Amino acid sequence: LYPNAGLYGTAYELRYPGSIVETVCTRNGGDRLLPSYFGAIVNYGPNNPRYPFNSSSFAAPKNILLGVGGFPWGVKWNEDVMLWGVIALQFPVAYSPDVCSIIHRHTANDSSKIIEYQESPFPQYVSTISKDELLRRDDAEDLTKYCDYLRLAAISRNIYSGHGARARLELSSVKSPHWTWKKYKLQMLSYIPRWGMQFIRNHAKSLSYLKRKIKTKIIRD
């Protein structure tokens, strides 16, 4: 099926401590080509983006992987996201809602371990493409939202790593109104002093667990 696709991915489960399970699945339809790979991510839920697949539930034809240069060299963060995005810019993405991968999240977030300043590579890659070419795309709006989402993800990591002032300046690069609330939230967090962020990092696992438990209870009730 779908011989022209550049990526093939499936749904997956996220399992957290405390028997909290989240199934990440783009449900509208069965096996299919995604109308927009970037739209499937940013429109997954209200301010709750999710990738439709992960590094253990995707595959790509060898010739396409070689054609885009494989996983990027010298990228310390989001190298899989970079690869998927570059392929999705050029080829359709095939998707199955069947759960074929389980991720056990025993830690709260890898960002709690990052010290050096991070930049998201995919928006930088997109910036090398002409604006006229980008505007001709059917998914141009979704792509813009997605690049801003990645910028915010990098800004968030940098704030939690103690780079609040520099990260706050970069919030101006996020133009999409889709992320207005997230921008305000990060702007407020960016004023927390380094020692405060150190406290949050040290207790990130417990805070993440409590957040998941509260969210699960709200959904069940």
Side-chain angles (χ1 to χ4, degrees), residues 97-159:
D98 294 336
V99 174
C100 296
S101 172
I102 298 173
I103 297 178
H104 294 272
R105 289 283 177 86
H106 298 299
T107 57
N109 195 311
D110 288 341
S111 62
S112 62
K113 303 176 183 179
I114 291 178
I115 301 300
E116 65 271 20
Y117 199 86
Q118 299 290 314
E119 294 184 357
S120 186
F122 184 69
Q124 295 176 329
Y125 176 84
V126 172
S127 70
T128 66
I129 304 173
S130 72
K131 290 185 178 179
D132 289 341
E133 182 178 345
L134 293 174
L135 290 174
R136 286 195 296 268
R137 297 181 60 91
D138 293 335
D139 61 352
E141 183 178 352
D142 290 331
L143 178 58
T144 297
K145 289 181 185 177
Y146 177 67
C147 286
D148 275 349
Y149 165 64
L150 291 182
R151 291 186 182 98
L152 288 171
I155 289 169
S156 177
R157 282 177 175 263
N158 290 324
I159 289 173

Side-chain angles (χ1 to χ4, degrees), residues 53-92:
F53 48 80
N54 60 60
S55 294
S56 298
S57 68
F58 95 99
K62 181 178 179 180
N63 65 307
I64 290 178
L65 284 174
L66 294 176
V68 300
F71 287 96
W73 288 92
V75 174
K76 297 181 179 180
W77 174 58
N78 266 2
E79 63 274 13
D80 50 357
V81 169
M82 176 69 171
L83 174 67
W84 301 336
V86 171
I87 294 177
L89 283 171
Q90 304 175 49
F91 300 95

Side-chain angles (χ1 to χ4, degrees), residues 16 20 22 50 208-216:
Y16 299 89
I20 301 173
E22 177 185 356
R50 286 287 186 268
S208 179
Y209 173 75
L210 288 174
K211 179 180 177 181
R212 296 283 173 186
K213 289 294 287 186
I214 293 171
K215 181 180 177 181
T216 302

